[in-house]
Coordinates of all heavy atoms in Angstrom, one line a residue:
M10 N -5.7 -41.1 -3.7 CA -5.0 -40.7 -4.9 C -5.5 -39.4 -5.5 O -4.8 -38.5 -6.0 CB -5.1 -41.8 -5.8 CG -4.2 -41.5 -7.1 SD -2.4 -41.7 -6.4 CE -1.6 -42.0 -7.9
I11 N -6.9 -39.2 -5.4 CA -7.6 -38.0 -6.0 C -7.1 -36.8 -5.0 O -6.8 -35.7 -5.6 CB -9.1 -38.2 -6.0 CG1 -9.3 -39.2 -7.1 CG2 -9.7 -36.8 -6.3 CD1 -10.8 -39.6 -7.1
A12 N -7.1 -37.0 -3.7 CA -6.8 -35.9 -2.8 C -5.3 -35.4 -3.1 O -5.1 -34.2 -3.1 CB -6.9 -36.3 -1.4
L13 N -4.5 -36.4 -3.4 CA -3.1 -35.9 -3.6 C -2.9 -35.2 -4.8 O -2.2 -34.1 -4.9 CB -2.1 -37.2 -3.7 CG -0.7 -36.9 -4.0 CD1 -0.1 -36.1 -2.8 CD2 0.1 -38.2 -4.2
S14 N -3.6 -35.4 -5.9 CA -3.6 -34.7 -7.2 C -4.3 -33.3 -7.0 O -3.8 -32.3 -7.6 CB -4.3 -35.5 -8.4 OG -5.7 -35.6 -8.1
L15 N -5.3 -33.2 -6.1 CA -5.9 -31.9 -5.8 C -4.9 -31.0 -5.1 O -4.8 -29.8 -5.4 CB -7.2 -32.1 -5.0 CG -8.3 -32.6 -5.7 CD1 -9.5 -32.9 -4.8 CD2 -8.7 -31.8 -6.9
V16 N -4.2 -31.6 -4.1 CA -3.2 -30.8 -3.3 C -2.0 -30.4 -4.4 O -1.6 -29.2 -4.4 CB -2.6 -31.6 -2.3 CG1 -1.4 -30.9 -1.6 CG2 -3.6 -31.9 -1.1
Q17 N -1.6 -31.2 -5.1 CA -0.5 -30.9 -6.0 C -1.0 -29.8 -7.1 O -0.2 -28.9 -7.6 CB 0.0 -32.1 -6.9 CG 0.8 -33.0 -6.0 CD 1.2 -34.3 -6.7 OE1 0.7 -34.6 -7.7 NE2 2.2 -35.0 -6.1
A18 N -2.2 -29.8 -7.4 CA -2.8 -28.8 -8.4 C -2.8 -27.4 -7.7 O -2.8 -26.4 -8.4 CB -4.2 -29.2 -8.9
T19 N -3.0 -27.4 -6.4 CA -3.1 -26.1 -5.7 C -1.8 -25.5 -5.4 O -1.6 -24.3 -4.9 CB -4.0 -26.1 -4.5 OG1 -3.3 -27.1 -3.6 CG2 -5.4 -26.6 -4.9
L20 N -0.7 -26.3 -5.4 CA 0.7 -25.7 -5.1 C 1.1 -24.7 -6.2 O 1.0 -24.9 -7.3 CB 1.7 -27.0 -4.8 CG 1.5 -27.8 -3.8 CD1 2.4 -29.0 -3.8 CD2 1.6 -27.1 -2.4
A21 N 1.8 -23.7 -5.7 CA 2.3 -22.7 -6.6 C 3.6 -23.3 -7.2 O 4.3 -23.9 -6.6 CB 2.5 -21.5 -5.9
P22 N 3.8 -22.9 -8.4 CA 5.1 -23.3 -9.1 C 6.3 -22.6 -8.4 O 6.1 -21.5 -7.8 CB 4.9 -23.0 -10.5 CG 3.9 -21.8 -10.5 CD 3.0 -22.2 -9.3
P23 N 7.5 -23.1 -8.6 CA 8.7 -22.5 -7.9 C 9.0 -21.1 -8.6 O 8.5 -20.8 -9.7 CB 9.8 -23.5 -8.2 CG 9.3 -24.4 -9.3 CD 7.8 -24.4 -9.2
V24 N 9.5 -20.3 -7.8 CA 9.9 -18.9 -8.2 C 10.9 -19.0 -9.3 O 12.0 -19.6 -9.1 CB 10.3 -18.1 -7.0 CG1 10.7 -16.7 -7.5 CG2 9.3 -18.0 -6.0
K25 N 10.7 -18.3 -10.4 CA 11.7 -18.3 -11.5 C 11.8 -16.9 -12.1 O 11.0 -16.1 -11.9 CB 11.2 -19.2 -12.6 CG 11.1 -20.7 -12.3 CD 10.7 -21.5 -13.5 CE 10.6 -22.9 -13.1 NZ 10.0 -23.7 -14.2
G26 N 12.9 -16.7 -12.8 CA 13.0 -15.5 -13.6 C 13.0 -14.2 -12.9 O 13.9 -13.9 -12.0
K27 N 12.2 -13.3 -13.3 CA 12.2 -12.0 -12.9 C 11.8 -11.9 -11.3 O 12.3 -11.0 -10.6 CB 11.1 -11.1 -13.7 CG 11.6 -10.8 -15.1 CD 10.6 -10.0 -15.7 CE 11.0 -9.7 -17.1 NZ 10.1 -8.8 -17.9
M28 N 11.0 -12.7 -10.9 CA 10.6 -12.8 -9.5 C 11.7 -13.1 -8.7 O 12.0 -12.5 -7.6 CB 9.4 -13.8 -9.3 CG 8.8 -13.6 -7.9 SD 8.1 -12.1 -7.8 CE 7.4 -12.2 -6.1
L29 N 12.6 -14.0 -9.0 CA 13.7 -14.4 -8.2 C 14.8 -13.3 -8.3 O 15.4 -13.1 -7.2 CB 14.4 -15.7 -8.8 CG 15.6 -16.2 -8.1 CD1 15.2 -16.6 -6.6 CD2 16.2 -17.4 -8.8
K30 N 15.0 -12.7 -9.4 CA 15.8 -11.5 -9.4 C 15.3 -10.4 -8.5 O 16.2 -9.7 -7.8 CB 16.1 -10.9 -10.9 CG 16.9 -11.9 -11.7 CD 16.8 -11.4 -13.2 CE 17.5 -12.4 -14.1 NZ 17.5 -11.9 -15.5
S31 N 14.1 -10.1 -8.5 CA 13.5 -9.1 -7.6 C 13.7 -9.4 -6.2 O 14.0 -8.5 -5.3 CB 12.0 -8.9 -8.0 OG 11.8 -8.5 -9.3
L32 N 13.5 -10.7 -5.8 CA 13.7 -11.1 -4.4 C 15.2 -10.9 -4.1 O 15.3 -10.4 -3.0 CB 13.3 -12.6 -4.3 CG 13.3 -13.1 -2.9 CD1 12.3 -12.5 -2.1 CD2 13.0 -14.7 -3.0
C33 N 16.1 -11.3 -4.9 CA 17.5 -11.0 -4.6 C 17.9 -9.6 -4.4 O 18.5 -9.2 -3.5 CB 18.3 -11.7 -5.7 SG 18.2 -13.5 -5.7
V34 N 17.2 -8.7 -5.3 CA 17.6 -7.3 -5.2 C 17.0 -6.8 -3.8 O 17.6 -5.9 -3.2 CB 17.0 -6.6 -6.3 CG1 16.9 -5.1 -6.2 CG2 17.7 -6.9 -7.7
C35 N 15.8 -7.2 -3.5 CA 15.2 -6.8 -2.2 C 16.0 -7.2 -1.0 O 16.3 -6.4 -0.1 CB 13.9 -7.4 -2.1 SG 12.9 -7.0 -0.6
F36 N 16.6 -8.4 -1.0 CA 17.5 -8.8 0.1 C 18.7 -7.9 0.2 O 19.1 -7.6 1.3 CB 17.7 -10.3 0.0 CG 16.7 -11.2 0.5 CD1 16.2 -12.3 -0.3 CD2 16.1 -11.0 1.8 CE1 15.1 -13.1 0.2 CE2 15.1 -11.8 2.3 CZ 14.7 -12.9 1.4
V37 N 19.3 -7.7 -1.0 CA 20.5 -6.9 -1.1 C 20.2 -5.5 -0.5 O 21.0 -5.0 0.3 CB 21.1 -6.9 -2.5 CG1 22.2 -5.8 -2.6 CG2 21.6 -8.2 -2.9
V38 N 19.1 -4.9 -0.9 CA 18.8 -3.5 -0.5 C 18.6 -3.6 1.1 O 19.1 -2.7 1.8 CB 17.6 -3.0 -1.3 CG1 17.0 -1.8 -0.5 CG2 17.9 -2.7 -2.6
V39 N 17.8 -4.5 1.6 CA 17.6 -4.6 3.1 C 18.9 -4.9 3.8 O 19.1 -4.1 4.8 CB 16.5 -5.7 3.3 CG1 16.5 -6.0 4.8 CG2 15.2 -5.3 2.8
L40 N 19.7 -5.8 3.3 CA 20.9 -6.1 4.1 C 21.9 -4.8 4.0 O 22.6 -4.5 5.1 CB 21.7 -7.2 3.4 CG 21.1 -8.6 3.7 CD1 21.7 -9.7 3.0 CD2 21.1 -8.9 5.2
F41 N 21.9 -4.1 2.8 CA 22.8 -2.9 2.7 C 22.2 -1.9 3.7 O 23.1 -1.2 4.4 CB 22.8 -2.4 1.3 CG 23.6 -1.2 1.1 CD1 24.9 -1.1 1.1 CD2 22.9 0.0 1.0 CE1 25.6 0.0 0.9 CE2 23.7 1.3 0.9 CZ 25.0 1.2 0.8
S42 N 21.0 -1.7 3.8 CA 20.4 -0.7 4.8 C 20.8 -1.0 6.2 O 21.2 -0.1 6.9 CB 18.9 -0.7 4.6 OG 18.6 -0.3 3.3
F43 N 20.6 -2.3 6.6 CA 20.9 -2.7 8.0 C 22.4 -2.4 8.3 O 22.7 -1.9 9.3 CB 20.5 -4.1 8.2 CG 19.0 -4.2 8.6 CD1 18.2 -5.0 7.7 CD2 18.4 -3.5 9.7 CE1 16.8 -5.1 8.1 CE2 17.1 -3.7 9.9 CZ 16.3 -4.5 9.1
F44 N 23.2 -2.9 7.3 CA 24.7 -2.8 7.6 C 25.1 -1.4 7.7 O 26.1 -1.0 8.4 CB 25.5 -3.6 6.6 CG 25.6 -5.1 7.0 CD1 24.9 -6.1 6.2 CD2 26.2 -5.5 8.1 CE1 25.0 -7.4 6.6 CE2 26.2 -6.8 8.5 CZ 25.6 -7.8 7.7
T45 N 24.5 -0.5 6.8 CA 24.8 0.9 6.8 C 24.6 1.5 8.1 O 25.3 2.2 8.7 CB 24.1 1.6 5.7 OG1 24.5 1.0 4.4 CG2 24.5 3.1 5.7
V46 N 23.4 1.2 8.7 CA 23.0 1.8 10.0 C 23.8 1.2 11.1 O 24.3 1.9 12.0 CB 21.4 1.4 10.2 CG1 21.1 1.8 11.7 CG2 20.6 2.2 9.3
A47 N 24.1 -0.1 11.1 CA 24.9 -0.7 12.1 C 26.3 -0.1 12.1 O 26.9 0.2 13.2 CB 25.1 -2.2 11.8
I48 N 26.9 0.0 10.9 CA 28.3 0.6 10.8 C 28.4 2.1 11.3 O 29.3 2.5 12.0 CB 28.9 0.3 9.5 CG1 29.2 -1.1 9.2 CG2 30.2 1.2 9.2 CD1 29.5 -1.5 7.7
S49 N 27.4 2.9 10.8 CA 27.4 4.2 11.2 C 27.1 4.4 12.6 O 27.7 5.3 13.3 CB 26.4 5.0 10.3 OG 25.1 4.6 10.5
G50 N 26.3 3.6 13.2 CA 25.9 3.6 14.7 C 27.3 3.2 15.5 O 27.5 3.9 16.6
Y51 N 27.9 2.2 15.0 CA 29.2 1.9 15.7 C 30.2 3.0 15.6 O 31.0 3.2 16.6 CB 29.8 0.5 15.2 CG 30.9 0.0 16.1 CD1 30.6 -0.6 17.3 CD2 32.2 0.2 15.6 CE1 31.7 -1.0 18.1 CE2 33.2 -0.2 16.4 CZ 33.0 -0.8 17.7 OH 34.1 -1.3 18.4
W52 N 30.3 3.5 14.4 CA 31.2 4.7 14.2 C 30.9 5.9 15.1 O 31.8 6.6 15.6 CB 31.2 5.2 12.8 CG 31.9 6.4 12.4 CD1 33.3 6.4 12.3 CD2 31.4 7.7 12.2 NE1 33.7 7.7 12.1 CE2 32.6 8.5 12.0 CE3 30.1 8.2 12.3 CZ2 32.4 9.9 11.7 CZ3 30.0 9.6 12.0 CH2 31.2 10.4 11.8
A53 N 29.6 6.2 15.3 CA 29.2 7.3 16.1 C 29.3 7.1 17.6 O 29.8 8.0 18.3 CB 27.7 7.7 15.8
F54 N 28.9 5.9 18.0 CA 29.0 5.6 19.5 C 30.0 4.6 20.0 O 30.2 4.5 21.1 CB 27.6 5.1 19.9 CG 26.5 6.2 19.6 CD1 25.5 5.8 18.5 CD2 26.4 7.3 20.4 CE1 24.5 6.7 18.3 CE2 25.4 8.2 20.1 CZ 24.4 7.9 19.1
G55 N 30.6 3.9 19.1 CA 31.6 2.9 19.5 C 31.0 1.8 20.3 O 29.8 1.5 20.1
N56 N 31.7 1.2 21.1 CA 31.2 0.1 22.0 C 30.6 0.7 23.2 O 30.2 -0.1 24.2 CB 32.3 -0.9 22.4 CG 33.4 -0.4 23.0 OD1 33.5 0.8 23.3 ND2 34.4 -1.3 23.4
Q57 N 30.4 2.0 23.4 CA 29.8 2.6 24.6 C 28.3 2.9 24.3 O 27.6 3.4 25.2 CB 30.4 4.0 24.8 CG 31.9 3.9 25.0 CD 32.2 3.1 26.3 OE1 31.6 3.2 27.3 NE2 33.4 2.3 26.2
A58 N 27.8 2.4 23.3 CA 26.4 2.5 23.0 C 25.5 1.8 24.0 O 25.9 0.7 24.5 CB 26.0 2.1 21.6
E59 N 24.4 2.3 24.3 CA 23.4 1.7 25.2 C 22.7 0.6 24.4 O 22.7 0.5 23.2 CB 22.4 2.8 25.7 CG 23.0 3.9 26.5 CD 23.4 3.5 27.8 OE1 22.8 2.5 28.5 OE2 24.4 4.0 28.4
G60 N 22.0 -0.3 25.2 CA 21.1 -1.3 24.6 C 20.2 -0.8 23.7 O 19.8 -1.3 22.6
L61 N 19.4 0.3 24.1 CA 18.5 1.0 23.3 C 19.2 2.2 22.7 O 19.7 3.1 23.4 CB 17.3 1.4 24.1 CG 16.4 0.3 24.7 CD1 15.4 0.9 25.6 CD2 15.8 -0.5 23.6
I62 N 19.3 2.3 21.3 CA 20.2 3.3 20.8 C 19.7 4.7 21.1 O 20.5 5.6 21.2 CB 20.3 3.1 19.2 CG1 21.4 3.8 18.6 CG2 19.0 3.5 18.5 CD1 22.8 3.4 19.1
F63 N 18.5 4.9 21.3 CA 18.0 6.3 21.6 C 18.3 6.7 23.1 O 18.3 7.8 23.4 CB 16.5 6.3 21.4 CG 16.1 6.5 20.0 CD1 15.8 5.4 19.2 CD2 16.3 7.6 19.2 CE1 15.4 5.4 17.9 CE2 16.0 7.8 17.9 CZ 15.7 6.5 17.2
S64 N 18.7 5.8 23.9 CA 19.2 6.1 25.3 C 20.6 6.8 25.2 O 21.0 7.4 26.1 CB 19.3 4.8 26.1 OG 18.2 4.3 26.3
S65 N 21.3 6.6 24.1 CA 22.6 7.3 23.9 C 22.5 8.8 23.6 O 23.4 9.5 23.7 CB 23.3 6.6 22.7 OG 23.6 5.3 23.0
F66 N 21.2 9.3 23.3 CA 21.0 10.5 23.0 C 20.6 11.4 24.3 O 20.2 12.5 24.3 CB 19.9 10.8 22.0 CG 20.3 10.4 20.6 CD1 19.8 9.2 20.0 CD2 21.2 11.1 19.9 CE1 20.1 8.8 18.8 CE2 21.6 10.7 18.6 CZ 21.1 9.6 18.1
V67 N 20.7 10.7 25.5 CA 20.4 11.4 26.8 C 21.7 11.3 27.7 O 22.2 10.1 27.8 CB 19.2 10.8 27.5 CG1 19.0 11.4 28.8 CG2 18.0 10.8 26.6
D68 N 22.1 12.4 28.1 CA 23.3 12.4 29.1 C 23.0 13.1 30.3 O 22.7 14.3 30.2 CB 24.5 13.1 28.2 CG 25.8 12.8 29.0 OD1 26.0 11.9 29.7 OD2 26.7 13.8 28.8
N69 N 23.1 12.4 31.4 CA 22.8 13.1 32.8 C 21.3 13.8 32.6 O 21.2 14.9 33.2 CB 23.8 14.1 33.1 CG 25.2 13.4 33.4 OD1 25.3 12.3 33.7 ND2 26.3 14.2 33.1
N70 N 20.5 13.0 32.2 CA 19.0 13.6 32.1 C 18.9 14.8 31.3 O 17.9 15.5 31.3 CB 18.4 13.7 33.5 CG 18.2 12.4 34.2 OD1 17.9 11.3 33.7 ND2 18.3 12.5 35.6
K71 N 19.9 15.0 30.5 CA 19.8 16.2 29.6 C 19.7 15.6 28.1 O 20.7 14.9 27.7 CB 21.0 17.1 29.7 CG 21.1 18.2 28.8 CD 22.3 19.1 29.0 CE 22.3 20.2 28.0 NZ 23.6 20.8 27.8
P72 N 18.7 15.9 27.4 CA 18.6 15.3 26.0 C 19.6 16.0 25.1 O 19.8 17.2 25.1 CB 17.2 15.6 25.5 CG 16.7 16.7 26.4 CD 17.5 16.6 27.7
L73 N 20.3 15.1 24.2 CA 21.3 15.7 23.2 C 20.7 15.9 21.9 O 21.4 16.3 21.0 CB 22.5 14.7 23.2 CG 23.2 14.4 24.5 CD1 24.3 13.4 24.3 CD2 23.9 15.7 25.0
A74 N 19.5 15.5 21.8 CA 18.7 15.6 20.6 C 17.3 16.2 20.9 O 16.9 16.2 22.0 CB 18.5 14.3 19.9
P75 N 16.5 16.6 19.9 CA 15.2 17.1 20.2 C 14.3 16.1 20.7 O 14.5 14.8 20.5 CB 14.7 17.5 18.8 CG 15.8 17.7 17.9 CD 16.9 16.7 18.5
K76 N 13.5 16.5 21.7 CA 12.6 15.5 22.4 C 11.7 14.7 21.4 O 11.5 13.5 21.7 CB 11.7 16.2 23.5 CG 12.5 16.7 24.6 CD 11.7 17.2 25.8 CE 12.5 17.6 26.9 NZ 11.7 18.2 28.0
W77 N 11.3 15.3 20.4 CA 10.5 14.5 19.5 C 11.2 13.5 18.8 O 10.6 12.4 18.5 CB 9.8 15.5 18.4 CG 10.9 16.1 17.5 CD1 11.5 17.3 17.6 CD2 11.4 15.5 16.3 NE1 12.3 17.5 16.5 CE2 12.3 16.4 15.7 CE3 11.1 14.3 15.6 CZ2 13.1 16.1 14.6 CZ3 11.9 14.0 14.4 CH2 12.8 14.9 13.9
L78 N 12.5 13.6 18.6 CA 13.3 12.5 18.0 C 13.4 11.3 19.0 O 13.5 10.2 18.6 CB 14.7 12.9 17.6 CG 15.6 11.9 17.0 CD1 15.1 11.5 15.7 CD2 17.1 12.5 16.9
I79 N 13.5 11.6 20.3 CA 13.5 10.6 21.4 C 12.2 9.8 21.5 O 12.1 8.6 21.7 CB 14.1 11.2 22.6 CG1 15.5 11.7 22.4 CG2 14.1 10.2 23.7 CD1 16.1 12.5 23.5
Y80 N 11.1 10.6 21.4 CA 9.9 10.1 21.7 C 9.2 9.4 20.5 O 8.3 8.5 20.6 CB 8.8 11.1 22.2 CG 9.2 11.8 23.6 CD1 9.2 13.1 23.9 CD2 9.4 10.8 24.6 CE1 9.5 13.5 25.1 CE2 9.7 11.2 25.9 CZ 9.7 12.6 26.1 OH 10.0 13.0 27.4
M81 N 9.6 9.7 19.3 CA 9.0 9.3 18.0 C 9.1 7.7 17.9 O 8.1 7.0 17.6 CB 9.6 10.0 16.9 CG 8.8 9.6 15.6 SD 7.1 10.1 15.8 CE 7.1 11.7 15.0
P82 N 10.2 7.0 18.2 CA 10.2 5.5 18.0 C 9.1 4.9 19.1 O 8.5 3.9 18.7 CB 11.6 5.2 18.5 CG 12.4 6.4 18.2 CD 11.4 7.5 18.5
N83 N 9.0 5.5 20.2 CA 8.0 4.9 21.2 C 6.6 5.1 20.6 O 5.7 4.2 20.8 CB 8.2 5.6 22.6 CG 9.5 5.1 23.2 OD1 10.0 4.1 23.0 ND2 10.1 6.1 23.9
I84 N 6.4 6.3 20.1 CA 5.0 6.5 19.6 C 4.7 5.6 18.4 O 3.6 5.0 18.3 CB 4.9 8.0 19.2 CG1 4.9 8.9 20.5 CG2 3.6 8.3 18.4 CD1 5.1 10.4 20.1
C85 N 5.7 5.3 17.5 CA 5.5 4.5 16.4 C 5.3 3.0 16.8 O 4.5 2.3 16.3 CB 6.6 4.6 15.4 SG 6.7 6.2 14.6
T86 N 6.0 2.6 17.8 CA 5.9 1.3 18.3 C 4.5 1.1 19.0 O 3.8 0.1 18.7 CB 6.9 1.0 19.5 OG1 8.3 1.2 18.9 CG2 6.8 -0.4 20.0
I87 N 4.0 2.1 19.7 CA 2.6 1.9 20.3 C 1.6 1.9 19.2 O 0.6 1.1 19.2 CB 2.4 3.0 21.3 CG1 3.3 2.9 22.5 CG2 0.9 3.1 21.6 CD1 3.2 4.1 23.4
A88 N 1.8 2.7 18.1 CA 0.9 2.7 17.0 C 0.8 1.4 16.3 O -0.2 0.8 15.9 CB 1.2 3.9 16.0
Q89 N 2.0 0.8 16.1 CA 2.1 -0.6 15.4 C 1.5 -1.6 16.2 O 0.8 -2.4 15.7 CB 3.5 -0.8 15.1 CG 3.7 -2.1 14.3 CD 5.2 -2.3 13.9 OE1 6.1 -1.7 14.3 NE2 5.3 -3.4 13.1
L90 N 1.8 -1.6 17.6 CA 1.2 -2.6 18.4 C -0.3 -2.5 18.4 O -1.0 -3.4 18.5 CB 1.8 -2.6 19.8 CG 3.2 -3.0 20.0 CD1 3.7 -2.6 21.3 CD2 3.3 -4.5 19.6
T91 N -0.8 -1.3 18.4 CA -2.3 -1.1 18.5 C -2.8 -1.5 17.1 O -3.9 -2.2 17.1 CB -2.6 0.5 18.6 OG1 -2.0 0.9 19.8 CG2 -4.1 0.7 18.5
A92 N -2.3 -1.2 16.0 CA -2.8 -1.7 14.7 C -2.7 -3.3 14.6 O -3.7 -3.8 14.1 CB -1.9 -1.1 13.6
N93 N -1.7 -3.9 15.2 CA -1.6 -5.3 15.1 C -2.7 -5.9 16.0 O -3.3 -7.0 15.7 CB -0.2 -5.8 15.6 CG 0.8 -5.6 14.5 OD1 0.5 -5.4 13.3 ND2 2.1 -5.6 14.9
G94 N -2.9 -5.3 17.1 CA -4.0 -5.9 18.1 C -5.3 -5.7 17.4 O -6.1 -6.6 17.5
V95 N -5.6 -4.6 16.7 CA -6.9 -4.4 16.1 C -7.1 -5.5 15.0 O -8.2 -6.0 14.7 CB -7.1 -3.0 15.6 CG1 -8.3 -2.9 14.7 CG2 -7.2 -2.0 16.8
V96 N -6.1 -5.6 14.1 CA -6.2 -6.6 12.9 C -6.3 -8.0 13.4 O -7.0 -8.7 12.8 CB -4.9 -6.3 12.0 CG1 -4.9 -7.4 10.9 CG2 -5.0 -4.9 11.3
S97 N -5.5 -8.5 14.5 CA -5.5 -9.7 14.8 C -6.9 -10.3 15.5 O -7.1 -11.3 15.7 CB -4.3 -10.0 15.8 OG -4.5 -9.3 17.0
N98 N -7.6 -9.2 16.0 CA -8.9 -9.5 16.5 C -10.0 -9.8 15.5 O -11.1 -10.3 15.9 CB -9.4 -8.4 17.5 CG -8.5 -8.3 18.8 OD1 -8.1 -9.3 19.2 ND2 -8.5 -7.1 19.4
Y99 N -9.8 -9.6 14.3 CA -10.7 -9.9 13.2 C -10.5 -11.2 12.5 O -9.5 -11.6 12.3 CB -10.9 -8.7 12.2 CG -11.5 -7.5 12.9 CD1 -10.8 -6.4 13.2 CD2 -12.9 -7.5 13.1 CE1 -11.4 -5.3 13.8 CE2 -13.5 -6.4 13.6 CZ -12.8 -5.3 14.0 OH -13.4 -4.2 14.6

């Protein structure tokens, strides 16, 4: 019985008020951002888009955008994976 009361004492109270409103605003902003990118991507490329969106910027081995724009997502992905690997080892 004592252990149960100790566990209940350590539980956080439910989210209320301003925190709940902030959480809802955060979700709305994120969903709006994702849908904006999805709709504009479909508008730009239609259903002819490649599985990797940056592959659509290359046509017959000729880049249609600056090379740094094509390489940057790969560089950021490698940096994030490296950071996750370093942090998870500690």
Side-chain angles (χ1 to χ4, degrees):
M10 191 67 161
I11 294 173
L13 182 60
S14 65
L15 289 175
V16 170
Q17 288 178 343
T19 59
L20 292 176
V24 178
K25 295 181 183 176
K27 290 183 181 180
M28 189 64 179
L29 182 60
K30 289 178 185 176
S31 301
L32 186 64
C33 290
V34 169
C35 179
F36 279 128
V37 167
V38 168
V39 168
L40 287 174
F41 179 76
S42 300
F43 278 118
F44 279 115
T45 302
V46 170
I48 290 168
S49 62
Y51 189 78
W52 172 76
F54 298 109
N56 60 358
Q57 301 297 320
E59 298 287 331
L61 297 172
I62 197 66
F63 286 98
S64 298
S65 298
F66 289 109
V67 178
D68 188 30
N69 295 329
N70 290 331
K71 181 183 175 195
L73 302 174
K76 287 187 178 181
W77 65 266
L78 181 66
I79 296 171
Y80 291 130
M81 193 55 102
N83 294 326
I84 293 169
C85 291
T86 301
I87 291 171
Q89 184 176 7
L90 290 173
T91 303
N93 287 339
V95 169
V96 170
S97 67
N98 287 332
Y99 288 106

